[in-house]
């Protein structure tokens, strides 16, 4: 029996849940639905899907699609491009028909607020990133000059846009301590709700794995840079095998990997294949050059694999850092690889005690419901 209704506006269709932000959206919708919340899901997409996946249909009341605008002149708008392309009169009409609270997934979905003049809806934001910092980081990592300039301009636009928008919400649900502190300092409406990730139990694994694993979407500048740094290290450690798992590797990167005997590129394709790779990995290499809170890939590795080696941008959560091997530079990364190759993995019980108690999706959804539907 449904207790409450909620509009959720997503920056993309959240299925399959195959990358950071969309993983958070999908498993949040699922956890809220499990609590009896009636979800009206609104999705901005490049192309409207022919059908709604049963996994999404079963956890929503309805799913509505809106095409992102394609006009290149919108790059010249004072509103960030990612936000100005996600606006729709049809969305406004649908929101007006059902008077329920609205949860915006990311600042890029919030342009419609300009039309919601009457303020009859309670507005909430899931802050996926400090977008100004995120695009600044993309600009730093990007090698293509045109993209570098576009990202830099987007960062500058978001700097003002964030300040304008953040005060308009009853609550801003932040993923990380860093973003919580920044939001609370500015708008006094921050709530810390950790990332939704869909994992339930820490997997019980044998003491030894067969290889080192790097996984990620290699179409993003940050992941490409991380992969290239990891390849450099393993090229000089030929005695250790590295698997790079990705469905989106450039031809240049494929050629580079093909010349190195101890490194192989394999497709992910689906979660079942990724979980098989996790189960056989001795250690996971997780690197980032953008300080944007805890990455979802960290939860996936900690729940489903053995050792995890991270740098300073993978998480700012002390409890999660303590479950990992920390490499602040290339020299330490190299040493951790050498050391961990000989170690037996015996951390199942420690991880269960911390992860299953403090990072499960259910309690996070309950905390959000209490805030959104408080009288």
């Amino acid at each position: 029996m449904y207790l409450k209704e909620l509009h959720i506006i997503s920056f993309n269709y959240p299925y399959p849940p195959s990358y950071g932000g969309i993983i958070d959206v999908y498993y949040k919708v699922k956890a809220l639905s499990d609590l009896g919340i009636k979800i009206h899901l609104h999705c901005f997409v490049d192309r409207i899907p022919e059908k709604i996946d049963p996994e999404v249909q079963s956890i929503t009341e309805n799913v509505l699609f809106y095409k992102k605008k394609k006009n290149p002149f919108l790059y010249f708008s004072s509103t960030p491009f990612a936000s100005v392309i996600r606006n729709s009169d049809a969305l406004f009409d649908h929101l007006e028909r059902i008077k329920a609270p609205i949860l915006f997934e990311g600042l890029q979905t919030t342009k419609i607020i300009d039309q919601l003049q009457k303020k009859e809806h309670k507005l909430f934001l899931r802050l996926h990133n400090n977008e100004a910092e995120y695009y600044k980081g993309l600009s730093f990592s990007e090698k293509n000059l045109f993209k570098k300039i576009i990202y830099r301009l987007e960062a500058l636009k978001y700097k003002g846009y964030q300040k304008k928008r953040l005060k308009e919400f009853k609550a801003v649900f932040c993923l990380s301590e860093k973003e919580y502190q920044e939001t609370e300092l500015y708008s006094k409406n921050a709530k810390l709700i950790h990332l939704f990730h869909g994992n339930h139990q820490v997997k019980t694994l044998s003491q030894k794995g067969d290889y080192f694993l790097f996984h990620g979407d290699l179409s993003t500048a940050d992941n490409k840079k991380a992969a290239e740094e990891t390849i450099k290290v393993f090229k000089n450690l030929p005695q250790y095998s590295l698997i790079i798992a990705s469905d989106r590797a450039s031809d240049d990167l494929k050629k580079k990997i093909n010349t190195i005997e101890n490194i192989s590129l394999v497709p992910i394709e689906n979660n079942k294949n990724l979980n098989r790779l996790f189960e056989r990995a001795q250690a996971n290499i997780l690197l980032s050059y953008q300080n944007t809170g805890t990455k979802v890939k960290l939860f996936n590795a900690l729940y489903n694999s053995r050792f995890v080696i991270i740098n300073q941008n993978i998480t700012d959560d002390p409890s999660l850092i303590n479950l990992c091997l920390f490499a602040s530079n290339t020299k330490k990364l190299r040493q951790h690889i050498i050391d961990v190759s000989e170690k037996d993995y015996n951390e199942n019980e420690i991880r269960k005690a911390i992860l299953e108690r403090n990072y499960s999706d259910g309690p996070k959804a309950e905390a959000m419901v209490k805030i959104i539907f408080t009288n």
Side-chain angles (χ1 to χ4, degrees):
M1 182 178 173
Y2 288 121
L3 303 172
K4 306 286 184 184
E5 294 187 72
L6 177 67
H7 293 288
I8 296 182
I9 305 177
S10 179
F11 50 88
N12 208 339
Y13 178 53
Y15 202 85
S18 56
Y19 67 91
I22 280 302
I23 290 171
D24 182 70
V25 175
Y26 174 76
Y27 287 109
K28 188 188 311 106
V29 171
K30 189 173 187 308
L32 289 168
S33 175
D34 288 346
L35 293 176
I37 307 301
K38 185 176 181 178
I39 308 285
H40 305 281
L41 181 63
H42 308 266
C43 307
F44 281 96
V45 293
D46 291 311
R47 190 176 64 191
I48 293 174
E50 291 179 9
K51 64 181 181 67
I52 299 165
D53 294 275
E55 293 86 349
V56 176
Q57 207 157 27
S58 66
I59 58 175
T60 54
E61 174 68 9
N62 49 49
V63 184
L64 298 155
F65 296 101
Y66 315 90
K67 287 188 83 168
K68 290 185 278 185
K69 293 176 169 41
K70 298 288 187 184
N71 186 349
F73 289 104
L74 292 175
Y75 277 114
F76 301 105
S77 168
S78 59
T79 301
F81 181 75
S83 184
V84 77
I85 64 171
R86 291 176 171 90
N87 199 13
S88 164
D89 290 336
L91 170 61
F92 175 74
D93 291 341
H94 290 139
L95 294 175
E96 287 297 290
R97 278 180 211 160
I98 299 168
K99 300 298 182 191
I102 304 169
L103 176 62
F104 295 86
E105 291 289 346
L107 278 164
Q108 62 266 54
T109 64
T110 60
K111 184 72 175 77
I112 195 74
I113 290 174
D114 293 334
Q115 291 174 255
L116 297 170
Q117 300 290 342
K118 295 176 186 175
K119 307 294 184 192
E120 291 181 22
H121 303 273
K122 291 202 301 187
L123 308 181
F124 299 87
L125 173 68
R126 174 50 143 180
L127 188 65
H128 285 266
N129 293 303
N130 176 327
E131 298 292 349
E133 289 295 317
Y134 173 71
Y135 279 100
K136 187 178 174 183
L138 282 183
S139 177
F140 180 74
S141 298
E142 183 56 60
K143 291 179 179 178
N144 180 291
L145 182 60
F146 176 72
K147 287 184 179 179
K148 189 181 277 287
I149 293 167
I150 291 294
Y151 291 149
R152 188 64 179 152
L153 286 171
E154 196 79 341
L156 291 170
K157 289 178 190 178
Y158 262 119
K159 199 169 182 181
Y161 190 74
Q162 286 176 178
K163 286 184 177 178
K164 173 189 170 187
R165 280 285 184 244
L166 286 177
K167 290 180 178 176
E168 300 190 69
F169 301 99
K170 294 276 185 186
V172 175
F173 300 111
C174 302
L175 283 167
S176 73
E177 184 68 34
K178 175 180 176 287
E179 283 148 9
Y180 169 79
Q181 296 294 349
E182 290 169 352
T183 303
E184 186 62 13
L185 193 66
Y186 179 71
S187 55
K188 307 293 182 192
N189 57 359
K191 306 291 179 184
L192 183 59
I193 303 284
H194 288 293
L195 194 142
F196 289 79
H197 50 77
N199 294 290
H200 300 291
Q201 293 180 315
V202 172
K203 200 164 283 179
T204 300
L205 298 168
S206 61
Q207 291 183 323
K208 277 278 170 63
D210 302 324
Y211 48 75
F212 290 82
L213 178 64
F214 177 102
H215 78 284
D217 177 1
L218 295 179
S219 68
T220 70
D222 187 51
N223 283 340
K224 277 192 280 187
K225 185 175 179 181
E228 285 168 0
E229 290 299 313
T230 305
I231 288 166
K232 259 188 229 175
V233 172
F234 277 88
K235 190 176 181 180
N236 294 311
L237 292 170
Q239 66 273 42
Y240 304 119
S241 296
L242 170 69
I243 286 180
I244 295 180
S246 181
D247 294 322
R248 296 182 178 183
S250 67
D251 289 339
D252 286 348
L253 198 59
K254 287 176 184 174
K255 284 177 188 173
K256 187 182 284 188
I257 291 167
N258 284 339
T259 65
I260 307 168
E261 283 191 17
N262 62 319
I263 304 177
S264 54
L265 177 69
V266 302
I268 297 175
E269 293 176 346
N270 55 54
N271 281 342
K272 192 180 282 188
N273 288 342
L274 182 57
N275 283 331
R276 283 197 201 105
L277 290 168
F278 278 139
E279 285 172 19
R280 290 185 54 204
Q282 173 69 358
N284 296 261
I285 313 293
L286 304 184
L287 306 177
S288 176
Y289 300 93
Q290 292 180 260
N291 186 1
T292 53
T294 301
K295 309 293 188 287
V296 68
K297 64 177 74 175
L298 176 59
F299 285 109
N300 289 339
L302 287 172
Y303 272 86
N304 299 297
S305 197
R306 294 178 184 80
F307 298 103
V308 181
I309 305 171
I310 64 170
N311 71 355
Q312 61 273 20
N313 292 322
I314 293 297
T315 183
D316 59 0
D317 186 325
S319 297
L320 297 177
I321 291 170
N322 287 338
L323 296 176
C324 302
L325 298 163
F326 184 72
S328 56
N329 55 47
T330 304
K331 187 179 176 183
K332 288 183 179 175
L333 172 61
R334 188 179 191 279
Q335 193 56 53
H336 279 314
I337 291 164
I338 295 166
D339 293 344
V340 84
S341 67
E342 301 300 323
K343 283 179 76 173
D344 287 341
Y345 172 73
N346 296 300
E347 296 179 9
N348 283 90
E349 296 309 313
I350 296 167
R351 288 191 188 178
K352 281 180 182 177
I354 293 170
L355 295 171
E356 293 177 13
R357 185 177 68 235
N358 300 324
Y359 294 92
S360 295
D361 287 349
K364 285 177 259 182
E366 287 170 10
M368 290 184 80
V369 167
K370 281 179 187 173
I371 295 163
I372 291 171
F373 296 104
T374 186
N375 292 324

